[in-house]
Amino acid sequence: MTKEQVTGAAEEEQQAQSKKALKKQQKEAEKAAKKAEKQAKLAAEQQTADEDDFAKDRYGVSAMVQSQEKVDRTLVRVQELTPHRGGQLVWVRARIHTSRAKGKQCFLVLRQQQFNVQALVAVGDRASKQMVKFAANITKESIVDVEAVVQTVEQKIESCSQQDVELHIERIFVISQAEPRLPLQLEDAVRPETEGEEEGRATVNQDTKLDNRVIDLRTTTSQAIFRLQSGVCQLFRDTLINKGFVEIQTPKIISAASEGGANVFTVSYFKTSAYLAQSPQLYKQMCICADFDKVFCVGPVFRAEDSNTHRHLTEFVGLDIEMAFNYHYHEVIDSITDTMVQIFKGLRDHFQTEIQTVGKQYPSEPFKFLEPTLRLEYREAVAMLRAAGVEMGDEEDLSTPNEKLLGRLVKEKYDTDFYVLDKYPLAVRPFYTMPDPNNPKYSNSYDMFMRGEEILSGAQRVHDAQLLTERALHHGIDLEKIKAYIDSFRYGAPPHAGGGIGLERVTMLYLGLHNVRQTSMFPRDPKRLTP
Amino acid sequence: MALKELSSLEKCLGLKKPNKYSTQGERKVPVLQNNNGPALVGLVTIASHLVHEAKRTELLGNSAEQRAVVQQWLEYRITRLDNCSKEEVKVILKELNQYLEDKVYLAGNSFTLADTLMYYGIHHIIMNLAVQEKEKFLNVTRWFDHIQHYPGVRHHLAPVVVLRNRVYPSGQH
């Protein structure tokens, strides 16, 4: 390049630089102008904030409740906010479910467990502009104490559980503030799948819900599910106590695998190792041999099954029953089915609110059952399946799809979601199952089904030490490992039978849900160990 | 397979003398060597010929429109249904289900060769459907059950069980 060209280039560079510098200056000027504007705005707001706030002592963030004083105040439950309290001034403690500010008003939805109610802060003689602004800025999920007048409304508020009233807030204080960014939105967590798809709104997937279980459990659906589950447990206990059963507690750290070596968790036990109980089977039976006659136990069951299905957990709550009978194991089946029917009736009669709440997010057909409970023999079931085009052997176990199809066929024919299948083939049952006296290919064992899925496996147990030894040998089991078990039958043992159900599975199937993790508070499966 | 179909068809049409067929090519396309004239190649061609031979031309359609529809379904059988892939099966079942919503037979209001050959062709698919799927494609199942019970049609094929009542509520599909 020539000198002129070089200088020319240099000049251009200079010009370009000065252009750049100009642009930079302009940008900075704009920034400064914006900043000044913002500051002026803030100052103006600050002014209005300091302006006459006549409601200053009717709102704010309360000091942390460290039990400073005993306040003599009754807090009314949201569930009780009905028209009969119209006009009353009440105190309520609830969470902020949603808040929406509109000019001089702020609409809040306050939530308490399964119930929510609309609340309103409006600029007036009780509330100032600053108070409305404060209410609008309270973060979702914060716990607040409000004093409000219960106002009846003419048009039902469809989106709340308390549809006939609204709270007109006079005082509002924050008791515990929630951080602004929630890991999941409760409205999304409660939205039905179909609504999410149709209207393109967000729903929360199961893994996210389980990772943030504390927040997910606050939803109205979760509250309802676990209240109902508590009801199942309570009805189970009450019904059996009334039948003269005794509740027992069995050890969960045991020396030998009770159901089979494959699916058992091993724990280190001082200098040796032990196992986590796969079922209370052995101990239930030993209690019968110890003359407790009728026993039940509620406790954890541990199955190290690497099954990632909708109905398997590695830890679940087992509700187990064992009963000595007089002459025929059907006495026990009748007792168990009657217990189940009492549970179903109790849920139907006393937990309708919960059933309806769950049904809003997970609609399903109401659970149907017959009295007395339907009992089919295995052979009949095989015939029904064959009539529907399924090919299977007489002594073949039912696969899961066949179980489900059978459930549908039984529902169609008998109109029941709950039934018993009796006299299973001996070959597919555990070694301690009593064989059928009339046909060596079958056994005195039974399964019970809800909505086509198995919930209970039970049988008459072998109570004779010699026969038990034979059956164990036949199944290739090491007699040394079960010596204590066999010994318990050597000193007089009554004929007995029983069975066990899974609490989570029963709740899931009663409500017509599709994944057992929804009915387990902090579920455990091969891929999940926390929370 | 095609040969079995043709011999069943012969029985169905009441033809006394069974013909001798051979096959050609990888796909075993059936061939009928006639004494007078060139060989007939192809399932549909031979089947139509048999219908004429048995003097049952109504099976190919009574009106011009019905005849056209019969030909359409015979085409469908050879081009779409035979040797279709797994994904196509669902598409075919859906199409058929929609088509059969307001029809008893595939073409017009009478039983035709289209029904027979489509029945032969779709049998292996329907046989392997689960009860829930059979209910999902309710119209196909209804038509299939009707044809498999039609006198004289089902010879070499196993009967497929069709339940009288719905076992799955209609919302569950």
Side-chain angles (χ1 to χ4, degrees), chain A residues 60-157:
Chain A
V61 178
S62 286
M64 174 169 69
V65 174
Q66 253 184 306
S67 305
Q68 297 93 328
E69 48 174 0
K70 295 187 185 178
V71 177
D72 186 18
R73 183 190 288 165
T74 332
L75 298 178
V76 176
R77 306 288 300 171
V78 169
Q79 188 178 12
E80 291 164 28
L81 296 174
T82 52
H84 86 273
R85 278 187 184 269
Q88 287 180 18
L89 186 65
V90 296
W91 276 96
V92 175
R93 175 173 293 181
R95 282 190 195 270
I96 303 279
H97 184 65
T98 55
S99 77
R100 199 180 72 226
K102 233 180 166 192
K104 293 202 171 157
Q105 295 178 323
C106 173
F107 284 95
L108 302 169
V109 173
L110 299 177
R111 186 189 82 240
Q112 197 179 61
Q113 296 175 336
Q114 291 179 70
F115 307 97
N116 47 26
V117 67
Q118 184 162 283
L120 171 59
V121 191
V123 176
D125 55 354
R126 300 297 294 164
S128 63
K129 224 181 344 182
Q130 295 88 333
M131 182 170 159
V132 174
K133 182 156 175 266
F134 172 79
N137 285 333
I138 307 179
T139 47
K140 279 194 195 177
E141 291 304 295
S142 298
I143 300 181
V144 294
D145 273 358
V146 303
E147 186 185 34
V149 175
V150 180
Q151 206 68 249
T152 49
V153 292
E154 294 121 30
Q155 248 194 340
K156 275 190 188 278
I157 302 171

Side-chain angles (χ1 to χ4, degrees), chain A residues 35-276:
Chain A
K35 205 173 181 185
E37 224 188 287
K38 215 179 179 186
Q39 281 183 337
K41 214 177 171 193
L42 267 174
E45 280 182 13
Q46 200 61 36
Q47 248 200 333
T48 50
D50 293 338
E51 255 171 39
D52 212 13
D53 187 358
F54 59 91
K56 233 191 300 198
D57 55 355
R58 287 205 279 275
Y59 67 95
V61 178
S62 286
M64 174 169 69
V65 174
Q66 253 184 306
S67 305
Q68 297 93 328
E69 48 174 0
K70 295 187 185 178
V71 177
D72 186 18
R73 183 190 288 165
T74 332
L75 298 178
V76 176
R77 306 288 300 171
V78 169
Q79 188 178 12
E80 291 164 28
L81 296 174
T82 52
H84 86 273
R85 278 187 184 269
Q88 287 180 18
L89 186 65
V90 296
W91 276 96
V92 175
R93 175 173 293 181
R95 282 190 195 270
I96 303 279
H97 184 65
T98 55
S99 77
R100 199 180 72 226
K102 233 180 166 192
K104 293 202 171 157
Q105 295 178 323
C106 173
F107 284 95
L108 302 169
V109 173
L110 299 177
R111 186 189 82 240
Q112 197 179 61
Q113 296 175 336
Q114 291 179 70
F115 307 97
N116 47 26
V117 67
Q118 184 162 283
L120 171 59
V121 191
V123 176
D125 55 354
R126 300 297 294 164
S128 63
K129 224 181 344 182
Q130 295 88 333
M131 182 170 159
V132 174
K133 182 156 175 266
F134 172 79
N137 285 333
I138 307 179
T139 47
K140 279 194 195 177
E141 291 304 295
S142 298
I143 300 181
V144 294
D145 273 358
V146 303
E147 186 185 34
V149 175
V150 180
Q151 206 68 249
T152 49
V153 292
E154 294 121 30
Q155 248 194 340
K156 275 190 188 278
I157 302 171
E158 299 285 317
S159 55
C160 291
S161 68
Q162 312 308 103
Q163 299 189 331
D164 304 307
V165 296
E166 190 179 64
L167 291 177
H168 289 201
I169 295 181
E170 304 206 346
R171 287 199 264 181
I172 179 164
F173 297 100
V174 176
I175 301 299
S176 175
Q177 220 164 19
E179 282 182 23
R181 299 191 109 240
L182 297 171
L184 58 93
Q185 295 299 323
L186 271 86
E187 309 165 289
D188 295 340
V190 166
R191 187 164 290 130
E193 273 294 327
T194 46
E195 194 190 299
E197 279 166 17
E198 280 168 24
E199 299 179 22
R201 312 200 61 213
T203 50
V204 185
N205 76 35
Q206 190 171 267
D207 271 330
T208 315
K209 285 190 196 179
L210 293 177
D211 287 335
N212 301 289
R213 198 49 160 164
V214 168
I215 311 231
D216 179 51
L217 286 173
R218 290 183 196 172
T219 57
T220 46
T221 311
S222 297
Q223 291 280 319
I225 290 176
F226 291 101
R227 268 163 219 292
L228 190 125
Q229 188 169 79
S230 163
V232 172
C233 233
Q234 190 201 347
L235 288 161
F236 180 78
R237 279 209 168 90
D238 289 346
T239 312
L240 289 174
I241 297 281
N242 285 336
K243 285 184 192 282
F245 279 70
V246 175
E247 184 171 359
I248 61 171
Q249 308 296 337
T250 63
K252 307 302 168 200
I253 312 178
I254 57 180
S255 61
S258 44
E259 301 278 335
N263 305 325
V264 68
F265 287 112
T266 316
V267 291
S268 62
Y269 198 78
F270 302 106
K271 296 218 170 90
T272 86
S273 42
Y275 304 101
L276 291 181

Side-chain angles (χ1 to χ4, degrees), chain A residues 378-391:
Chain A
Y378 196 81
R379 275 187 276 218
E380 284 178 72
V382 174
M384 279 173 83
L385 284 170
R386 284 179 178 152
V390 171
E391 288 174 17

